[in-house]
Amino acid sequence: MTPPLFIGVIGIDHNHIYGMIDGLTAAGATFSAFAVTPDTPQSTIDSFTATYPDVPQRTPAQIFEDDRIGLVLSAAINSERAAIAISAMRHGKDVLVDKPGCTTLEQLAAIRQTTAETSRRWTVCFSERLTVESVTLADQLIAQGRIGKVVQTVGLGPHRRNSHLRPAWFWDRARYGGILTDICAHQFDQFLHFTGSTEAHVVSAHIANVANSDRPGFQDFGEVLLAGNEGRGYARVDWLTPDGLPTWGDGRMTILGTHGYLELRKYIDIAGRPGQDHVFLADAKGVEHFEAAGAGKPFFGRLIRDVLDRTETAMPQAHAFLATQLALEAQQMAEQGACS
């Protein structure tokens, strides 16, 4: 009989942690303990414990030293995730961190070194791919050859700012990492995934503050052009979602192939069909619309098996490193250029 996977959480500062926990427990893992970091507000802790009332709160050290726990999750403040991950791996545990997995190239180098020294795995939960059923269906359609070889991705990642709900660290460049490091991390992941690129570089990158003059250090718009060994990519991210849109952002992905293309309208078909996870396909036979609900979210089950079996099916380690590296390099390039 396969032993259960016990998971522990260190850092609950971003609500992505709920999807990470729920995805793993639905796939069979056991949530055994959580710990918070010093800056976590009591209101955040209260909401978390109300959601998981039977899970005990521990210190980070107690979770690191618990031999039952095989996987540590973290959605701490962005700049704190690297240190938590490194400590967890040095205590013999694999790690699943919310995106961005780290906020500097120096942190990424330390994470790389730690994985090499410990043989532990560092995985980043790019939720806009891994928890979206339209992506699962797109993978299936691409595998069937419906659009031929993928040659380009265009990823759009708009977000609602919700200023009144944001903690202080959200506005601090050093702590959240910048717009391309943070929310554009999703687009780098999807570009590599759909094109199959294992090598890539940033061609151009731009950031700006176009609508938040009262916060001069904030970045609310970013775009990137990418080149990989198996395709090209463009990404645009922003904090400009209007309040009238009935969801947090109209996230989309267009995947161009040699024989057709797919468009994923992940969260809303604006002024169109109700619901989310819409997939549109155009090829030589015509145009089709698919509702992807029920396609599944296989990442979490695969990750459990990887931790238990020491395999690498959920996300190659090289992919997590490269997607994160591209995000950090794009942020650095954009900040060294003109920012208006």
Side-chain angles (χ1 to χ4, degrees):
M1 183 176 177
T2 303
L5 174 65
F6 289 90
I7 61 175
V9 170
I10 302 176
I12 61 172
D13 298 276
H14 197 295
N15 62 13
H16 283 166
I17 194 64
Y18 292 97
M20 295 161 67
I21 294 168
D22 294 348
L24 283 164
T25 55
T30 299
F31 181 20
S32 60
F34 80 96
V36 301
T37 52
D39 292 335
T40 305
Q42 187 61 47
S43 59
T44 299
I45 300 172
D46 291 343
S47 296
F48 190 83
T49 55
T51 304
Y52 306 106
D54 298 325
V55 178
Q57 183 175 349
R58 300 286 186 254
T59 65
Q62 287 173 324
I63 291 177
F64 289 142
E65 295 164 7
D66 188 337
D67 291 337
R68 295 183 311 155
I69 294 174
L71 181 69
V72 167
L73 281 57
S74 182
I77 294 170
N78 298 1
S79 58
E80 299 176 1
R81 294 172 188 172
I84 292 169
I86 288 169
S87 293
M89 288 188 285
R90 294 205 176 282
H91 282 83
K93 305 180 191 312
D94 291 319
V95 177
L96 176 66
V97 293
D98 183 22
K99 67 79 219 160
C102 59
T103 54
T104 69
L105 287 166
E106 292 76 16
Q107 288 180 348
L108 181 60
I111 291 167
R112 286 181 184 269
Q113 180 178 348
T114 304
T115 62
E117 292 174 353
T118 64
S119 298
R120 295 294 97 186
R121 199 139 313 129
W122 179 78
T123 304
V124 181
C125 188
F126 299 108
S127 56
E128 290 187 23
R129 174 170 68 92
L130 302 175
T131 67
V132 175
E133 290 185 299
S134 56
V135 172
T136 304
L137 179 58
D139 283 340
Q140 295 168 358
L141 294 170
I142 292 169
Q144 294 166 13
R146 295 293 302 272
I147 64 169
K149 182 185 184 303
V150 174
V151 297
Q152 190 213 29
T153 62
V154 175
L156 306 181
H159 286 61
R160 180 175 287 121
R161 190 174 59 252
N162 283 333
S163 299
H164 63 293
L165 299 176
R166 299 295 179 177
W169 64 264
F170 175 81
W171 309 102
D172 185 340
R173 161 63 182 86
R175 302 185 86 187
Y176 83 88
I179 191 170
L180 299 182
T181 295
D182 185 16
I183 57 176
C184 205
H186 294 296
Q187 314 307 323
F188 296 109
D189 162 69
Q190 290 169 90
F191 158 73
L192 294 175
H193 173 76
F194 285 120
T195 65
S197 292
T198 55
E199 300 174 9
H201 67 276
V202 179
V203 177
S204 65
H206 174 74
I207 54 174
N209 183 340
V210 300
N212 290 272
S213 59
D214 59 323
R215 297 184 181 274
F218 186 60
Q219 301 161 9
D220 59 17
F221 178 89
E223 61 180 352
V224 180
L225 184 64
L226 296 160
N229 59 337
E230 294 292 341
R232 305 274 296 188
Y234 171 80
R236 188 210 81 213
V237 292
D238 63 71
W239 288 104
L240 304 174
T241 291
D243 289 340
L245 193 76
T247 187
W248 57 266
D250 185 12
R252 300 190 183 199
M253 171 64 64
T254 299
I255 307 164
L256 177 66
T258 52
H259 303 312
Y261 68 89
L262 291 165
E263 183 183 0
L264 283 57
R265 300 183 186 178
K266 299 179 181 181
Y267 309 112
I268 187 172
D269 182 9
I270 185 170
R273 298 168 177 85
Q276 58 186 28
D277 279 311
H278 298 278
V279 176
F280 299 86
L281 181 148
D283 62 8
K285 298 178 181 178
V287 177
E288 291 184 66
H289 166 258
F290 303 86
E291 292 185 359
K297 303 171 185 178
F299 166 77
F300 294 104
R302 292 171 181 169
L303 181 62
I304 291 172
R305 294 309 324 169
D306 286 344
V307 173
L308 295 174
D309 300 338
R310 311 314 301 160
T311 50
E312 195 176 79
T313 63
M315 179 181 296
Q317 183 64 86
H319 174 101
F321 285 150
L322 182 55
T324 303
Q325 177 183 326
L326 289 170
L328 296 168
E329 290 176 345
Q331 185 70 43
Q332 185 178 76
M333 180 185 293
E335 291 182 343
Q336 290 172 349
C339 179
S340 57

